[in-house]
Each structure stands twice: as C-alpha cells, then as structure tokens.
Amino acid sequence: MEFGFLGLGIMGKAMAINLLRHGFKVTIWNRTLSKCDELVQHGASVGETPATVVKKCKYTIAMLSDPSAALSVVFDKDGVLEHINGKCYIDMSTVDADTSSKISETIKAKGGYFLEAPVSGSKKPAEDGQLIILAAGDKALYDEVLPAFDVLGKKSFFLGEVGNGAKMKLVVNVIMGSMMNAFSEGLTLAERSGLNPGTLLDVLDLGAISNGMFKLKGPTMLQNSYSPAFPLKRQQKDMRLALALGDENAVSMPVAAAANEAFKKARSMGLGDLDFSAVHETLKAPDHSS
C-alpha cells in the first residue's frame, strides 16, 4: 500500500518512519521542507504540495499541529481538496469535532472518503508503534487502512460518526492535563514539607493510582528535565478545546478549568515548547506574599 503523509512534527515523523520500516511506500510533505530530508534517507518520496501528494496516493494521512493547520492543508491553494475525488483522507491530528466535521463534509462533497483518527500517545509510543488510534467516519475506509493502523498503534477503536474520535481524544487529554497538575502539586508539596519526592514516586507506584504517566514523567520532573514528548502549548490547546466541548454540553469542569489556567501561566513563562510536564515549573516561582 502507498500512503501520502502530511506533517512531520514530533509525531508525524515517527509515524511516517514506522510505515517506511514496515514496507509501505510513503510520499511526504511538510510545510518546512528541510524536515523531509531524514525520511528521504529512509526511502520516502517528497511531494511539493498537499495536492501533489493526494494526486499521487490513494490514501493520505495528515498529522498536523492544531485545527488551523488541519484546515489550511485541506482548504488552501494547492491543498488536499484539489485532487481528492476518488481518494481517501485520514486526518490523525487532534482537532475539535466541528473542525473534523467541516473537513469531512467538504471532502465527501468533492467525491473523496474521510476518516478521522486522532491518536492517544506521545513521542515514544509513536516511535514504537504503540499509539491508541481513535477512528470515526467511513467504516469501509477504516477496514482498508487497518494494516497501516496496526503498524502505527497497539489498538484501534472505531467510534462511529465523524466527531466522535475528536471528542474521545479531547476527553482523554483533559483528564491527562488535570492529572498532571495534581501530580505537580503533590510533588511540590512533598518537597516543601520536607519529604523526599523520589520516595513519593515509589509510594504512588505501588498504590491504586499507579499509572504510566507518573512513572514516565515523575523522574524527569524531579530533574527539571522537560524534553518535549508532548509540547505544553499543544496540551493547553487541548484543554481549551475540551473546555469548549464542556460548554456545549453544559458540563461543569472546575478541575480542568484550573488546570488550563496553570498551563496558560506556564505558556506566559515561556515554557510552551517544553514538555507538558513543565507545568511543574509554575509552582516553583517563589511566593513573596506569605
């Protein structure tokens, strides 16, 4: 199978390399063309525009940073729509349900096929082919691309109509962002009250709230090391989109709202490009009010 691949950020690059390693032909495009060089060494071809990639490949995957990027690749000049008739588009970006529906409706109106398939997992799961794929839309297309999903992820879910994948991803990420803030507060509280935060990590890991995120992020947070697996500015975007989903459905989300404010504070401190665990730094600013 031949795939087009649009977007070679932290996630897209790892995913495209996985497809190449498993024998898929891949034609890539990225707004910053220099990012294509490494993948060419792995055997990828390069398309000059999203339109040329879609024209060449029956299936095109997009992995873009946010709703505006996802929309511009589809709707702008030399975009996906120009050659989508009879072709298949799989958008794996994290966007809101409205953005996904807008892309879906337009592609279908032009004679194309659409699947949304955002993923749960960051840099390492992407590199290891261990993502969780949250797909919705065209079931026949989902079945056709499962061989690729099996390379990219450890489990794929088909969630029904377009928008459900986007919503599921936002629900997962809003829980994750809220947990990260509670975790940061706990680590800081342990340290300031004279406990060894490393011991706290051991205690947490043995109890009912043991989880992969605490295990992975805890040790690096204690070293003030925030190499971006999932950039903080992206986590804050997902908090914002999830809170908007809460507004639409009249769901009160005070914990998520407070967590979102902490991520915004971190962005204002210049931490947006670091890992989302860098929200921990917002608690370290000396408080002179006491």
Side-chain angles (χ1 to χ4, degrees):
M1 291 171 83
E2 180 165 12
F3 279 85
F5 207 106
L6 312 178
L8 301 173
I10 291 173
M11 299 294 288
K13 176 181 156 188
M15 292 160 70
I17 287 174
N18 255 337
L19 289 173
L20 288 161
R21 281 198 185 125
H22 285 84
F24 292 91
K25 287 183 177 172
V26 183
T27 299
I28 55 175
W29 172 86
N30 194 68
R31 209 176 291 278
T32 317
L33 269 174
S34 59
K35 284 197 177 175
C36 296
D37 296 346
E38 186 183 340
L39 276 89
V40 170
Q41 292 169 9
H42 284 272
S45 312
V46 180
E48 287 178 17
T49 64
T52 47
V53 173
V54 170
K55 186 177 183 181
K56 182 181 176 195
C57 305
K58 181 179 177 186
Y59 306 99
T60 297
I61 292 172
M63 189 52 156
L64 303 156
S65 56
D66 56 27
S68 65
L71 289 166
S72 82
V73 158
V74 173
F75 290 97
D76 285 3
K77 185 179 181 301
D78 297 322
V80 167
L81 287 182
E82 293 190 13
H83 296 292
I84 199 64
N85 186 20
K87 299 297 181 78
C88 303
Y89 191 63
I90 302 108
D91 196 346
M92 303 186 78
S93 319
T94 298
V95 299
D96 55 290
D98 286 348
T99 298
S100 207
S101 297
K102 184 177 179 184
I103 292 170
S104 172
E105 284 160 18
T106 312
I107 282 176
K108 289 199 293 199
K110 293 263 186 183
Y113 303 89
F114 180 77
L115 191 69
E116 64 168 354
V119 300
S120 185
S122 58
K123 183 182 179 185
K124 185 147 178 27
E127 289 170 345
D128 297 343
Q130 293 291 301
L131 296 166
I132 302 158
I133 296 169
L134 307 171
D138 189 315
K139 179 67 165 66
L141 175 52
Y142 172 78
D143 292 335
E144 282 176 46
V145 298
L146 264 180
F149 284 175
D150 288 344
V151 161
L152 298 173
K154 61 180 173 182
K155 173 83 175 165
S156 300
F157 291 87
F158 183 77
L159 302 170
E161 64 187 44
V162 168
N164 286 350
K167 290 176 195 172
M168 182 69 85
K169 174 64 197 275
L170 293 176
V171 171
V172 169
N173 276 20
V174 79
I175 294 170
M176 181 171 84
S178 299
M179 278 175 63
M180 177 53 79
N181 275 281
F183 186 44
S184 294
E185 289 177 10
L187 288 174
T188 305
L189 180 61
E191 198 163 12
R192 296 259 179 97
S193 61
L195 297 171
N196 180 336
T199 308
L200 170 63
L201 294 183
D202 293 338
V203 173
L204 288 172
D205 196 38
L206 293 166
I209 58 167
S210 166
N211 68 77
M213 184 178 80
F214 290 1
K215 196 179 296 210
L216 187 68
K217 301 291 185 187
T220 51
M221 289 163 73
L222 295 186
Q223 293 167 356
N224 307 320
S225 167
Y226 308 107
S227 171
F230 182 41
L232 186 140
K233 63 186 177 185
R234 305 264 183 267
Q235 173 68 55
Q236 196 266 311
K237 172 220 36 167
D238 292 349
M239 299 302 283
R240 174 171 55 81
L241 295 175
L243 288 164
L245 187 63
D247 286 355
E248 278 172 49
N249 292 282
V251 177
S252 170
M253 300 171 68
V255 174
N260 184 42
E261 292 305 317
F263 285 119
K264 282 177 5 191
K265 181 178 179 184
R267 279 182 60 199
S268 77
M269 291 164 63
L271 307 174
D273 289 320
L274 298 179
D275 191 69
F276 80 111
S277 53
V279 74
H280 189 43
E281 292 293 310
T282 62
L283 299 166
K284 294 190 181 170
D287 183 5
H288 298 302
S289 61
S290 51

